[in-house]
């Protein structure tokens, strides 16, 4: 006798159930009626997003059941179940009797209870109908005549949200993803992977805001405004909610069937509810209490139910409930599998975070490191296919070896195309070359289209090298406002006696300047001794560091570095620094420049801090300026048994002589008492090493991004000659170097290199030495401490306030936590700058 | 269920407290705003929080122009923002909010709320 099977829901799993049953039901025991709410044949929801890229409904269709024993009724919703009489009732009032009922109703998008969520322009992202509506809204927005971008706010930064964001971009909208968790894909990816993922997603032109939620949506002149919990307002033409799903279990609830704690029709490992005639499969089912939002577990459930309906004894096995996921479509490699969050007792994570290669890989292994439990791959998921099947089995090799990146070549010209030139933004040489090929002809254009160079900036010289290598004639123009180089501008300012930026730009430039030319002009004016750097209009030219005479930190607080010439400091001096730091709650650290840095000062605290320091005899250390930083020293002959000269004495003398000298980039020095070189003088812009009879002078050294040892300029000179040569060396550099060019690259770029330099400053081949000497003498004579200058000037002090309308109120976004006994900034969204780390 | 639409103008400072091309921050009801007066004398107000670093520092950036559009460069990672519409000119997908400004008898006021 034929029995009647009713399937509610014609989605992916319902469709699979019917196919699986009919394939095996050779004796035609069942007649099947499928009742589906959507007015279309079942389609591939996993590939939903490809619809906006041109896939058609036909291409996505899962195929129709061309079978007299299967009756599919589209556009038919089931509204009730009568279990006693084994009937289902549809929205049109029709009732159908069943012998077996399978619920395959999937899930519904979860829309957080945000005020305004029902406004026109707000959508969910689940069905082809949803995409039709979103597409229509996007087209209408794009067709409006008002200028400006059209944008979409996507609520939720999980797998679905990222897919939706990409689809919004395909539709021509600029997407913003808002994720309440501190990272994207919080369910799949851990914190380290999340930071890289974010960078990769942002590279796809998708803006990301993590750690905030959408607090409300309001209509505003035909558009929407999404108000975020941090006070930001985002304009949007379309708002898409993809903040998670909830099992569609309403029918079951109403019919008195049990549901799981977090929703879903409760079923056992046969996918059967407590009612022997009612089954549930796919996303609406809570298998032993848990729901699964992926299609593979749903398909496995369909197979089990088909088998059971035909008298078999299939059961769900844990392996079929694989929650491994890979992000598709976005162009970003992300995969997570197994116990990605190391929740298994004793699980050990092994992490290789390689920002240089733009990859993050984590394996989770058992406490004895023998079994693979799961993992996360970001940036390069090519090993996903090989690793995923290994979950639960013995590791074939050392876990680190399984995820270790291949050797990364560094260097400039010889880099392969796959090498990262910008580690902050994970941009490869290949990507930079492509951008140059596509017309990017300067660093600004490369920054705009690849994002290389937009974070820490250390790769900018490399970008320039690549531009030259690719045959681009690099313009000498400083920026769009000045057509000349820094050196030429210096001559203009010095020669014409110009004292203000306004005068200079009016006569020799265009527009109102920018963050490139303004600090350059500020530095030139300062090098020429044209007044306090915060005097009058000059203040508006300074980088924020110079403007507040302190280094801005990532949370908007500042660091304070008093000068400690040569690294020599008295116990009383140490005590003052200690007391100031303690009284203002500052974090202290000994720097690599042999002095003490105090971090975490708010802008309105700076004058009070410096008042105490200046009163105790300290002065600005210019840690913030493109200026002389430190002259490091070793103890030298004063204490050291090998010391040949008084290296501390000379270092103090040099540091005091050149303090405050503004220059194209920072200047560093060191003096070592013998060739053992404990002060690392040869890594400095000018370095001095004592000999038996005098000093050797080295120039053009650099630590930092491109380390270089300094070259010997002269040997065995006395102190007076040495100082005169350093005077000339520095002044010549100040006058002729490019913006942000350290002495090392200045000499390298000089026609004739070190020999030419020697000819100019030792042999006076250009006849300018008297000028250079006089310029340095003027600098030394006019030096005055910048901080003392501020403290003595009420007008300047007035600028050190937090808010113009609440001068003493601390910035409410600044907060600290305690780490190793000291205050440090409370964590915010991570910034991707770092070195590879291997951790456990 | 649209939220209440009441525009309120809040006086913030005197216009002479805004030095040309040098921003200041203002605090309005917990919200941080960066105010700028350009060389020509126009006053602009945008959100003070730099979206790239999360630090409330845009008021401390360098004011200038790009292609004639008045701008400020974030002091943290140097992205440039239009003072006119808050768009990040280095990454047009990012925008900071813009506030309406009025200067009346030397008093600068801002409109907050929509
Ligand atoms: C504090 C300190 C690290 C520490 O805890 O030790 C430090 C901290 C910073 N360094 Fe440094 N550097 C410090 C010693 C060094 C050294 C070592 C040294 O001077 O002996 C080097 C390598 C030597 C060299 O410069 O050749 C160094 C190479 C850099 C570089 C790369 C320069 C290059 O030519 O590639 C930068 C980036 C830049 O200047 O553009 C940098 C930039 C910075 C900045 C200013 C980044 C920034 O813009 O916020 C950091 C802020 C400091 C602050 O807020 O006070 N720092 N930095 C050291 C301060 C020394 C001091 O007392 O003034
Ligand atoms: C954009 C997107 C991308 C995805 N990407 C992936 C991926 O990469 N990998 C992956 O594994 N999974 C992915 N998924 C999830 C996957 O699509 C689902 O797991 C799968 O579709 C679940 O199948 P289902 O049959 O349980 O539910 P559904 O496919 O949702 O089908 C349920 C059907 O039941 C109907 N229905 C509901 N209530 C009633 C009622 N009362 N009466 C009649 N009909 C009703 C609904 O209209 C719907 O058609 C994605 C989902 C989306 C939306
Ligand atoms: S460099 Fe020479 S003098 Fe200086 S500490 Fe080292 S060994 Fe001693
Ligand atoms: S910005 Fe390119 S390496 Fe930091």
């Amino acid at each position: 006798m034929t029995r009647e099977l009713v399937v509610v829901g014609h989605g992916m799993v319902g469709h699979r159930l019917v196919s699986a049953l009919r394939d095996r039901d050779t004796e035609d025991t069942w007649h099947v009626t499928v009742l589906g709410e959507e007015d279309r044949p079942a389609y591939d929801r996993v590939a939903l997003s490809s619809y906006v890229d041109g896939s058609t409904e036909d291409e996505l269709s899962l195929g129709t059941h061309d079978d007299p024993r299967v009756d599919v009724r589209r556009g038919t919703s089931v509204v009730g179940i009568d279990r006693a009489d084994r009937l289902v009732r549809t929205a049109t009032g029709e009732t159908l009797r069943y012998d077996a009922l399978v619920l395959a109703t999937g899930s519904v998008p979860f829309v957080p209870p945000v005020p305004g969520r029902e406004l026109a322009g707000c959508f969910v992202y689940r069905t082809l109908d949803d995409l039709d509506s979103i597409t229509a809204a996007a087209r209408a927005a794009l067709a409006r005549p008002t200028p400006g971008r059209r944008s979409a706010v996507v609520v939720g930064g999980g797998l679905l949200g990222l897919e939706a964001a990409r689809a919004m971009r395909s539709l021509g909208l600029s997407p913003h993803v808002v994720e309440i968790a501190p990272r994207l894909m919080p369910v799949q990816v851990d914190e380290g992977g999340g930071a890289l993922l974010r960078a990769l997603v942002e590279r796809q032109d998708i803006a990301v805001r993590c750690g905030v939620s959408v607090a409300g949506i309001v209509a505003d002149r035909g558009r929407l405004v999404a108000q975020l919990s941090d006070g930001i307002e985002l304009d949007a033409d379309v708002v898409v909610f993809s903040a998670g799903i909830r099992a569609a279990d309403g029918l079951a609830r109403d019919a008195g069937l049990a549901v799981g704690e977090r929703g879903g029709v409760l079923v056992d490992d046969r996918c059967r509810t407590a009612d022997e005639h009612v089954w549930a499969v796919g996303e609406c089912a809570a298998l032993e209490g848990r729901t699964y939002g992926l299609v593979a577990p749903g398909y496995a459930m369909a197979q089990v139910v088909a088998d059971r309906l035909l008298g078999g004894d299939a059961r769900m096995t844990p392996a079929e409930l694989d929650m491994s996921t890979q992000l598709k479509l976005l162009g970003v490699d992300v995969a997570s599998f197994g116990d990605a969050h190391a929740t298994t007792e004793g699980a050990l994570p092994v992490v290789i975070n390689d920002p240089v290669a733009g990859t993050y890989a984590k394996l989770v292994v058992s406490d004895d490191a023998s079994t693979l439990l799961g993992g996360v791959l970001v940036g390069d998921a090519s090993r996903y296919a090989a690793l995923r099947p290994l979950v639960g089995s013995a590791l074939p090799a050392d876990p680190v070896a399984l995820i270790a990146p291949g050797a990364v070549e560094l260097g400039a010209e010889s880099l392969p195309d796959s090498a990262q030139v910008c580690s902050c933004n994970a941009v490869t040489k290949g990507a930079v070359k492509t951008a140059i090929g596509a017309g990017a002809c300067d660093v600004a254009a490369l920054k705009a289209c690849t994002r290389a160079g937009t974070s820490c900036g250390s790769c900018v010289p490399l970008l320039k090298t690549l531009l030259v290598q690719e045959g681009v004639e690099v313009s000498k123009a400083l920026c769009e406002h000045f057509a000349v180089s820094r050196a030429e501008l210096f001559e203009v300012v010095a020669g014409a006696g110009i004292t203000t930026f306004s005068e200079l730009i009016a006569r020799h430039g265009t527009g109102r300047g920018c963050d490139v030319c303004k600090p350059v002009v500020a530095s030139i004016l300062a090098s020429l001794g044209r007044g306090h750097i915060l005097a009058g209009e000059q203040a508006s030219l300074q980088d924020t560091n110079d403007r507040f005479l302190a280094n801005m930190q990532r949370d908007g607080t500042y660091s304070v570095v008093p000068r400690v010439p040569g690294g020599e400091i008295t116990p009383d001096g140490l005590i003052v620094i200690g007391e100031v730091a303690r009284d203002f709650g500052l974090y202290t650290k000994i720097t690599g420049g042999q002095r003490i840095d105090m971090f975490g000062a708010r802008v309105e605290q700076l004058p009070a801090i410096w008042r105490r320091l200046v009163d105790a005899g300290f002065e600005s250390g210019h840690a913030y300026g493109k200026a002389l930083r430190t002259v490091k020293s070793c103890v030298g002959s004063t204490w050291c048994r090998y010391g040949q000269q008084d290296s501390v004495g000379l270092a103090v003398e040099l540091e005091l002589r050149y303090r405050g000298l503004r220059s194209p980039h920072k200047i560093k020095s060191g003096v070592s008492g013998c060739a053992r070189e404990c002060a690392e003088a040869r890594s400095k812009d000018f370095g001095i090493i004592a000999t038996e009879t005098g000093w050797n002078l080295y120039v053009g050294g650099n630590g930092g991004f491109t380390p270089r040892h300094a070259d010997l300029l002269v040997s065995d000179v006395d102190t007076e000659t040495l100082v005169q040569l350093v005077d000339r060396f520095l002044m010549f550099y100040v006058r002729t170097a490019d913006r942000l060019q350290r002495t090392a690259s200045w000499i390298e770029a000089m026609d004739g290199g070190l020999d030419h330099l020697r000819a100019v400053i030792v042999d006076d081949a250009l006849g300018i030495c008297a000028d250079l000497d006089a310029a340095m003498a003027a600098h030394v004579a006019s030096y005055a401490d910048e901080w003392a200058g501020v403290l003595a000037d009420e007008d300047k002090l007035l600028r050190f306030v937090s808010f113009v309308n609440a001068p003493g109120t601390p910035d409410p976004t600044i907060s600290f936590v305690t780490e190793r006994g000291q205050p440090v900034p409370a964590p915010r969204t991570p910034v991707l700058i770092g070195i590879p780390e291997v951790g456990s | 269920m649209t939220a209440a639409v009441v525009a309120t103008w809040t006086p913030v400072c005197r216009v002479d407290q805004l030095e040309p091309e040098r921003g200041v921050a203002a605090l309005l009801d917990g919200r941080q705003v960066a105010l700028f007066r350009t060389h020509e004398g126009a006053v602009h107000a945008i959100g003070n929080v730099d979206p790239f670093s999360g630090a409330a520092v845009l008021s401390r950036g360098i004011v200038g122009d790009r292609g004639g559009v008045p701008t400020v460069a974030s002091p943290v990672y140097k992205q440039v923002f239009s003072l006119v519409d808050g768009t990040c000119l280095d990454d047009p997908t990012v925008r900071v909010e813009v506030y309406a400004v009025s200067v009346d008898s030397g008093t600068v006021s801002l409109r907050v709320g929509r």
Side-chain angles (χ1 to χ4, degrees):
Chain A
M1 194 195 76
T2 311
R3 290 189 291 162
E4 191 60 35
L5 169 66
V6 173
V7 179
V8 186
H10 197 212
M12 296 187 75
V13 176
H15 182 273
R16 172 62 61 95
L17 169 75
V18 175
S19 313
L21 180 78
R22 292 297 304 144
D23 282 353
R24 295 171 51 186
D25 186 14
T26 45
E27 281 155 38
D28 290 345
T29 31
W30 292 97
H31 173 266
V32 188
T33 306
V34 187
L35 304 172
E37 196 164 54
E38 290 184 71
D39 201 8
R40 329 185 176 241
Y43 54 88
D44 182 358
R45 200 178 307 283
V46 171
L48 188 70
S49 296
S50 67
Y51 190 55
V52 300
D53 293 322
S55 287
T56 60
E57 185 177 347
D58 272 358
E59 281 160 11
L60 292 177
S61 164
L62 295 174
T64 45
H65 305 279
D66 222 354
D67 184 336
R69 302 189 71 81
V70 177
D71 180 12
V72 177
R73 301 210 206 154
R74 294 186 214 151
T76 306
S77 324
V78 173
V79 294
I81 303 169
D82 173 353
R83 290 202 285 127
D85 294 333
R86 298 220 295 269
L87 295 173
V88 295
R89 195 172 69 256
T90 71
T92 52
E94 196 186 345
T95 52
L96 281 91
R97 217 196 57 80
Y98 62 80
D99 294 300
L101 175 67
V102 179
L103 299 173
T105 48
S107 22
V108 288
F110 166 67
V111 179
V114 174
R117 61 182 170 159
E118 73 291 343
L119 288 171
C122 293
F123 300 96
V124 293
Y125 195 87
R126 176 83 194 176
T127 65
L128 286 175
D129 286 350
D130 292 335
L131 291 203
D132 281 339
S133 316
I134 292 172
T135 306
R139 294 219 172 109
L142 290 164
R144 271 208 320 275
T146 41
R149 288 170 311 120
R150 304 291 182 254
S151 56
V153 168
V154 175
V155 185
L159 204 60
L160 275 186
L162 292 179
E163 240 189 85
R166 220 272 340 201
M168 294 310 109
R169 210 194 54 200
S170 292
L171 289 173
L173 307 177
S174 305
H176 270 272
V177 173
V178 179
E179 168 58 51
I180 194 165
R183 60 178 184 276
L184 295 174
M185 289 179 68
V187 179
Q188 290 85 9
V189 174
D190 64 358
E191 199 181 314
L196 178 62
L197 173 61
R198 176 183 179 134
L200 297 178
V201 167
E202 287 179 335
R203 248 174 73 192
Q204 307 283 320
D205 281 334
I206 293 172
V208 177
R209 287 171 193 275
C210 290
V212 291
S213 57
V214 174
I217 299 167
V218 296
D220 179 50
R221 284 160 293 168
R223 299 183 83 194
L224 297 172
V225 178
Q227 301 167 325
L228 308 190
S229 53
D230 61 358
I232 296 264
E233 297 185 334
L234 299 174
D235 284 331
D237 298 281
V238 166
V239 174
V240 177
F241 286 95
S242 49
I245 52 173
R246 295 285 180 271
D249 56 10
L251 286 175
R253 282 175 197 263
D254 292 347
L257 288 166
V259 295
E261 230 170 83
R262 300 218 197 98
V265 187
L266 261 191
V267 294
D268 57 19
D269 64 355
R270 300 167 290 180
C271 301
R272 218 198 67 190
T273 66
D275 179 333
E276 60 172 329
H277 302 287
V278 185
W279 311 72
V281 292
E283 283 186 354
C284 68
L287 188 84
E288 328 229 88
R290 198 173 153 195
T291 53
Y292 295 85
L294 295 171
V295 76
Y299 279 173
M301 294 180 210
Q303 296 294 352
V304 167
V305 172
D307 181 77
R308 289 274 168 179
L309 290 174
L310 297 172
D313 56 4
R315 281 173 198 282
M316 289 298 291
T317 61
E320 288 168 332
L321 298 174
D322 186 358
M323 290 302 281
S324 304
T325 31
Q326 227 182 335
L327 186 59
K328 56 189 191 299
L329 283 171
L330 197 61
V332 173
D333 260 13
V334 191
S336 97
F337 52 96
D339 181 12
H341 290 283
T343 50
T344 310
E345 169 121 14
L348 300 171
V350 179
V351 178
I352 295 190
N353 183 5
D354 185 353
V356 177
T359 60
Y360 172 92
K362 172 167 107 173
L363 290 187
V364 178
V365 299
S366 59
D367 50 5
D368 58 355
S370 68
T371 310
L372 181 63
L373 299 175
V376 176
L377 303 171
V378 180
D380 172 10
S382 57
R383 270 159 287 199
Y384 174 65
L387 286 170
R388 191 181 130 180
L390 289 178
V391 171
S393 46
L395 280 162
D398 178 60
V400 176
L402 288 174
I403 47 173
V408 186
E409 277 188 64
L410 284 174
E413 294 77 18
S414 61
L415 291 173
D417 279 0
S418 59
Q420 304 282 326
V421 293
C422 175
S423 48
C424 296
N425 300 289
V427 181
T428 62
K429 177 177 170 186
V432 171
K433 278 169 66 182
T434 308
I436 296 174
C441 57
D442 56 17
V443 171
L446 284 178
K447 280 185 177 176
C449 64
T450 64
R451 286 168 187 261
T454 53
S455 304
C456 77
S458 2
C459 59
V460 169
L462 203 51
L463 298 179
K464 287 190 181 149
T465 310
L466 288 175
L467 281 163
V468 175
Q469 242 178 62
E470 294 299 298
V472 176
E473 180 85 34
V474 181
S475 157
K476 279 192 314 181
L478 201 54
C479 62
E480 70 175 68
H481 306 99
F482 288 100
V484 295
S485 70
R486 180 191 175 277
E488 289 164 319
L489 209 56
F490 193 101
E491 293 311 321
V492 169
V493 176
I498 289 173
T499 55
T500 69
F501 178 81
S502 287
E503 184 187 352
L504 180 67
I505 198 159
R507 284 169 57 181
H508 300 277
T510 54
R512 278 311 299 170
C514 65
D515 60 313
V516 172
C517 60
K518 282 188 163 181
V520 166
V521 174
S523 157
I524 293 173
L525 291 172
S527 301
L528 289 169
R530 308 259 153 101
H532 192 282
I533 67 158
L534 296 185
E537 190 200 54
Q538 275 199 52
S540 73
L541 308 179
Q542 309 294 347
D543 254 320
T544 188
N545 286 357
D546 295 270
R547 199 168 134 192
F548 294 100
L549 305 176
N551 288 45
M552 179 181 283
Q553 306 299 314
R554 62 184 174 88
D555 61 347
T557 63
Y558 289 87
S559 71
V560 171
V561 189
R563 184 169 298 291
V564 179
E568 189 182 58
I569 186 165
T570 62
D572 284 340
L574 284 170
I575 288 167
V576 169
I577 292 183
E579 285 175 345
V580 168
R582 187 194 55 209
D583 295 352
F584 289 89
L586 305 176
Y587 166 100
T588 53
K589 181 178 182 301
I590 310 288
T591 73
Q594 299 190 338
R595 47 195 186 167
I596 300 169
D597 204 339
M598 290 170 267
F599 293 85
R602 299 190 310 270
V603 66
E604 72 276 15
Q605 293 180 310
L606 289 172
I609 291 171
W610 274 102
R611 175 80 66 199
R612 294 261 301 264
L613 292 169
V614 167
D615 285 349
F618 284 104
E619 57 180 29
S620 166
H622 290 104
Y624 47 82
K626 300 287 178 260
L628 178 83
R629 291 286 168 84
T630 62
V631 182
K632 286 166 62 162
S633 74
C634 71
V635 287
S637 57
T638 317
W639 292 92
C640 177
R641 59 195 162 128
Y642 297 116
Q644 292 182 313
Q645 307 285 346
D646 176 13
S647 50
V648 182
L650 180 67
V652 172
E653 181 185 339
L654 294 173
E655 184 157 342
L656 294 179
R657 185 170 180 80
Y658 303 120
R659 63 189 161 173
L661 177 67
R662 299 280 160 157
S663 45
H665 205 314
K666 58 194 177 192
I667 305 169
K668 297 179 175 182
S669 178
V671 183
S672 283
C674 84
R676 287 171 189 75
E677 247 282 73
C678 302
E680 299 168 305
R682 287 195 65 197
S683 68
K684 303 300 175 204
D685 296 280
F686 62 101
I688 295 120
I689 300 176
T691 65
E692 233 172 293
T693 54
W695 309 101
N696 282 352
L697 172 60
Y698 297 81
V699 293
N702 207 157
F705 197 62
T706 320
R708 184 177 184 277
H709 262 139
D711 295 312
L712 183 64
L713 185 76
V714 289
S715 50
D716 267 334
V717 292
D718 60 20
T719 307
E720 197 187 331
T721 312
L722 176 94
V723 169
Q724 186 181 52
L725 288 175
V726 175
D727 281 1
R728 294 173 180 176
F729 170 74
L730 292 179
M731 265 304 161
F732 190 40
Y733 166 65
V734 163
R735 296 204 157 177
T736 64
D738 253 347
R739 161 180 182 265
L740 298 185
Q741 188 176 40
R742 292 282 296 263
T743 57
S745 49
W746 171 65
I747 297 174
E748 267 171 17
M750 194 180 287
D751 243 350
L754 186 70
D755 289 338
H756 176 70
L757 178 69
R758 198 179 280 119
V760 174
I761 65 173
V762 182
D763 309 328
D764 199 9
L766 299 180
I768 58 167
C769 284
D771 260 14
L772 298 175
D773 292 345
M776 188 58 85
H779 164 75
V780 174
S782 67
Y783 168 82
D785 176 30
E786 288 168 357
W787 261 109
V790 169
L791 295 174
D793 182 337
E794 277 308 316
D795 266 2
K796 295 193 177 80
L797 280 173
L798 275 180
R799 293 170 194 149
F800 289 83
V801 295
S802 49
F803 298 104
V804 67
N805 60 345
T809 306
D811 174 352
T813 68
I814 294 171
S815 62
F816 300 108
V817 295
T818 301
E819 203 173 284
R820 293 182 298 278
Q822 295 211 72
V824 296
R828 281 216 184 114
T829 324
V831 179
L832 252 194
I833 300 175
I835 43 164
E837 115 191 329
V838 178
S840 64
Chain B
M1 185 176 63
T2 314
V5 192
V6 191
T8 34
W9 287 92
T10 312
V12 175
C13 61
R14 294 187 321 277
V15 72
D16 59 17
Q17 286 177 284
L18 301 178
E19 294 174 66
E21 304 191 322
R22 202 166 351 153
V24 300
L27 192 60
L28 283 121
D29 219 10
R31 205 184 273 231
Q32 293 201 37
V33 179
L35 284 157
F36 303 90
R37 176 144 70 113
T38 65
H39 184 64
E40 288 77 27
V43 179
H44 296 280
I46 64 173
N48 194 31
V49 175
D50 168 23
F52 294 94
S53 61
V57 295
L58 288 184
S59 58
R60 301 180 218 160
I62 292 184
V63 177
D65 77 312
R66 188 180 281 182
V69 177
T71 56
V72 64
S74 164
V76 186
Y77 299 120
K78 314 291 180 199
Q79 287 88 353
V80 171
F81 294 84
S82 158
L83 295 182
V84 178
D85 65 3
T87 310
C88 173
L89 299 180
D90 295 316
D91 179 355
T93 61
V94 177
R95 201 190 67 109
V96 293
E97 61 276 55
V98 191
Y99 297 91
V101 182
S102 86
V103 183
D104 189 3
S105 327
T107 298
V108 179
S109 303
L110 293 182
R111 191 179 69 204
V112 280
R114 290 191 177 245

